[in-house]
Amino acid sequence: MYKDSPLIHLFETNRGQYIFDVNTNAIIKIQKNVFENLRNNFSLNSSYKIYECEQVKELKDRGFLSSKKVKEVVHPLSDMLEFYMSSKIKMVILQVTQQCNLRCEYCTYSGSYINRTHQDARMNIELAKKGVEFLFDNSRDVDSVHIGFYGGEPLIEFELIKDIILYSEKISNGKRLTFGVTTNGTLLNDKIINFFNSHNVLTTISLDGPKEVHDKNRKFASSGCGSFEKIKNGLENIKHNYPDFLSKVMFNAVLDPNNDFSCINDFFTSYDIVKDLYLNVSDITDDHSVARNTNNEDHETQLKYELFKLYLSKLNKLDKKSVSKLVERYYDHLRKILVDSRGFSSSMPDKGHPSGPCIPGAQRLFIDVNGNFYPCERVSEKSKIMQIGHIDKGFDYDKIRSLLNIGEITSENCKDCWAFKFCTLCAVSADGIDKLSVEKKLFNCKVVKYSLEEHLKDYCMLNEFGYSFEDSNIFKIVEAQNE
Ligand code: SF4
Ligand code: SF4
């Protein structure tokens, strides 16, 4: 991109041509000839010059098409890290064990990934207590903190979890406290349910779909048999004997493109017990995978069809009941970035950072069985660059600073990037285990830009068909005047 070229992104739907103007955050509907003019000039190999037609002049007069870019890629909180990390930690996630009673194909501990393997290691009570004390000691500026329990399979260590919940309640000193467990659901018995119910433990159960889908990947380590029946029986027990606990249960489904999409869709849309509960869908990850191909055209086609139905329902052309729970997150994400987070902006700042990273460790500090700190439970425990401290030594601020400023490794690309303000990449996207990987990050940049462009197109398409995002704060599409 040339120095003086406007920081914009051009895209089109079936019904119109648009500019996303990065400096102002505006989405501007333009005429086809202006679109072609801009597009052709962007692809020129000579110095940049837009043919100054009336509409381009008008857009410039109205403050659009600015070429202002960030001059230095630096995170605004870089200088305040020590203060921030000593007062605003919101969450710790304790890895209470690395053991699991299942061997799920795509589990990061299963051996299919290079970042983790199942081991016998477990967290001892002293370490777990230090973990929650660390949270309370470093959260004075937040009203509410969360303690999560993670594994392996955390319920193998139920007694430890119970002790830690009681201990946390004792030392919370009036601070609002919430708990969460991420479990494979096979060990949930009456004793555990009773305790979780009375201590408001939000319980996330991994469930991928109906028996034939779930059992393909989620098998008991001892027998190799699928775990679906066990989870189903546990859920029926909750439904009949602890109905009020159902409001604290949600599901996490890993969407494996090699499974039948419509079958999974039917299950979550119509199966008793699960159909009314919150479902979080995550895509299977290729990150650190030893060998896995997650591309499947049929899956993509079905996903797009369900997305099409979702948008039809938004336009009141289809009953909401026909919309798949598996695609609701797309609309939620679109709304979050293009409606809730897209306010007017006068221009790009001189110093800034792409929007992706959290403050590593403050958002969801993950403490492994040995007391090592990581930015969250999604990162690789084999990665030295992701180890941001230890319970006995505190935070390693140099490492946190480098993860927070992950944009630095691709700073020239970021300065020119039209996705700068809506980027979702954090250091995880550049984790090369031994070092931060520019190649890996740039590959992920393509995914971010593709996804943002799809959101922009969908946003405009919905507008073209008369959909209103019913919010007075929306920065609506700007119509350029006719020439
Ligand atoms: S995935 Fe990245 S941004 Fe999200 S919590 Fe983990 S480190 Fe933070
Ligand atoms: S998509 Fe890549 S180049 Fe663009 S802002 Fe994000 S990290 Fe930077």
Side-chain angles (χ1 to χ4, degrees):
M1 188 180 281
Y2 299 99
K3 196 167 133 281
D4 296 326
S5 54
L7 191 53
I8 57 175
H9 180 64
L10 298 163
F11 63 96
E12 57 185 330
T13 64
N14 285 336
R15 290 186 163 199
Q17 288 73 38
Y18 298 87
I19 294 171
F20 172 55
D21 187 65
V22 179
N23 271 275
T24 58
N25 280 341
I27 296 171
I28 309 160
K29 192 164 199 290
I30 51 174
Q31 291 170 348
K32 195 168 173 102
N33 63 325
V34 181
F35 180 84
E36 298 296 347
N37 167 22
L38 290 165
R39 186 165 65 180
N40 291 340
N41 279 292
F42 262 114
S43 59
L44 277 180
N45 273 333
S46 57
S47 74
Y48 180 80
K49 186 171 182 337
I50 299 173
Y51 165 62
E52 295 265 333
C53 64
E54 281 306 311
Q55 205 176 64
V56 167
K57 281 190 195 132
E58 179 222 322
L59 288 171
K60 285 185 166 180
D61 288 347
R62 289 169 69 183
F64 301 123
L65 305 187
S66 165
S67 56
K68 174 111 196 303
K69 293 168 193 163
V70 160
K71 293 192 179 110
E72 190 184 348
V73 174
V74 57
H75 199 284
L77 287 176
S78 297
D79 293 336
M80 295 169 61
L81 262 186
E82 283 81 350
F83 165 73
Y84 203 94
M85 305 298 285
S86 64
S87 59
K88 293 187 193 298
I89 300 186
K90 297 189 187 89
M91 183 188 305
V92 290
I93 299 168
L94 303 175
Q95 184 190 46
V96 289
T97 180
Q98 288 185 345
Q99 291 181 49
C100 187
N101 58 335
L102 301 191
R103 289 293 177 276
C104 304
E105 273 292 306
Y106 42 66
C107 167
T108 47
Y109 292 93
S110 67
S112 302
Y113 290 76
I114 56 174
N115 55 340
R116 290 164 171 163
T117 48
H118 286 290
Q119 292 177 359
D120 287 339
R122 58 184 291 274
M123 186 172 269
N124 63 46
I125 183 78
E126 288 75 27
L127 177 48
K129 280 183 175 174
K130 278 192 207 170
V132 294
E133 285 161 10
F134 188 87
L135 171 67
F136 286 121
D137 289 346
N138 295 286
S139 60
R140 68 171 181 275
D141 288 350
V142 290
D143 298 331
S144 170
V145 290
H146 182 85
I147 298 171
F149 300 97
Y150 201 76
E153 169 47 44
L155 296 190
I156 290 176
E157 292 294 339
F158 171 65
E159 290 303 323
L160 174 72
I161 292 173
K162 187 174 123 194
D163 290 347
I164 287 303
I165 288 177
L166 295 173
Y167 180 68
S168 309
E169 287 170 344
K170 202 165 112 195
I171 65 165
S172 66
N173 205 11
K175 201 179 279 284
R176 199 168 161 260
L177 197 52
T178 56
F179 301 102
V181 170
T182 305
T183 172
N184 62 36
T186 59
L187 300 174
L188 271 173
N189 57 29
D190 292 302
K191 184 178 165 190
I192 296 177
I193 296 167
N194 257 317
F195 183 82
F196 282 1
N197 201 14
S198 53
H199 291 265
N200 289 319
V201 181
L202 184 67
T203 304
T204 304
I205 299 175
S206 305
L207 181 65
D208 292 346
K211 183 174 169 53
E212 59 275 26
V213 169
H214 182 90
D215 284 353
K216 241 167 96 180
N217 284 316
R218 298 192 180 267
K219 297 173 182 154
F220 282 102
S222 52
S223 62
C225 297
S227 56
F228 180 85
E229 284 300 323
K230 187 87 184 154
I231 299 171
K232 183 177 150 230
N233 293 341
L235 287 171
E236 270 162 14
N237 179 31
I238 295 173
K239 185 182 168 194
H240 293 118
N241 300 316
Y242 309 93
D244 51 332
F245 183 58
L246 276 179
S247 63
K248 294 160 201 150
V249 173
M250 59 178 271
F251 298 105
N252 185 37
V254 176
L255 211 49
D256 181 346
N258 297 312
N259 283 329
D260 188 286
F261 182 91
S262 55
C263 186
I264 303 171
N265 192 26
D266 286 350
F267 176 77
F268 283 112
T269 311
S270 52
Y271 186 67
D272 191 29
I273 310 182
V274 304
K275 72 179 189 328
D276 297 322
L277 300 189
Y278 183 80
L279 172 70
N280 177 49
V281 183
S282 42
D283 294 308
I284 203 163
T285 174
D286 267 344
D287 281 2
H288 313 304
S289 171
V290 176
R292 177 169 277 279
N293 178 5
T294 53
N295 296 324
N296 181 323
E297 259 182 48
D298 282 353
H299 179 90
E300 274 305 301
T301 309
Q302 290 183 51
L303 203 61
K304 286 203 169 131
Y305 177 62
E306 290 302 328
L307 203 52
F308 172 65
K309 282 166 56 189
L310 166 77
Y311 291 147
L312 281 181
S313 87
K314 294 288 169 203
L315 296 165
N316 292 325
K317 307 253 185 258
L318 190 71
D319 192 330
K320 211 175 154 208
K321 284 193 204 125
S322 312
V323 174
S324 165
K325 274 173 101 176
L326 300 177
V327 294
E328 278 169 1
R329 62 186 166 143
Y330 287 95
Y331 176 78
D332 294 343
H333 190 236
L334 183 154
R335 194 180 166 90
K336 188 170 152 215
I337 58 169
L338 293 184
V339 180
D340 302 339
S341 317
R342 189 175 64 94
F344 282 100
S345 151
S346 52
S347 78
M348 294 293 274
D350 284 338
K351 288 182 181 184
H353 193 279
S355 57
C358 67
I359 314 293
Q363 189 95 351
R364 41 195 311 131
L365 175 64
F366 181 64
I367 307 180
D368 77 3
V369 286
N370 300 311
N372 294 308
F373 289 169
Y374 298 88
C376 71
E377 76 283 15
R378 288 167 217 152
V379 311
S380 165
E381 289 154 54
K382 287 246 169 97
S383 170
K384 292 284 172 220
I385 48 173
M386 290 292 171
Q387 240 179 55
I388 55 170
H390 187 276
I391 191 74
D392 294 327
K393 298 181 191 144
F395 286 122
D396 181 334
Y397 287 108
D398 289 342
K399 276 190 174 172
I400 295 175
R401 208 163 266 115
S402 97
L403 298 184
L404 178 68
N405 284 284
I406 188 64
E408 272 180 2
I409 68 168
T410 50
S411 63
E412 292 312 307
N413 301 71
C414 292
K415 284 177 196 171
D416 282 340
C417 181
W418 62 271
F420 192 96
K421 291 183 190 167
F422 299 99
C423 178
T424 50
L425 296 184
C426 69
V428 174
S429 67
D431 183 7
I433 302 293
D434 302 322
K435 60 179 175 51
L436 291 170
S437 161
V438 173
E439 297 72 39
K440 190 170 175 190
K441 182 150 183 262
L442 289 177
F443 174 81
N444 284 314
C445 291
K446 286 188 205 147
V447 180
V448 165
K449 287 190 258 190
Y450 173 80
S451 154
L452 182 55
E453 177 166 308
E454 290 298 297
H455 281 335
L456 284 165
K457 286 179 181 171
D458 290 350
Y459 175 84
C460 292
M461 178 272 295
L462 282 168
N463 270 283
E464 286 161 1
F465 282 93
Y467 180 71
S468 163
F469 283 89
E470 90 262 330
D471 185 333
S472 55
N473 290 326
I474 294 176
F475 188 10
K476 290 201 169 79
I477 295 173
V478 179
E479 292 273 352
Q481 302 296 309
N482 287 334
E483 286 188 302

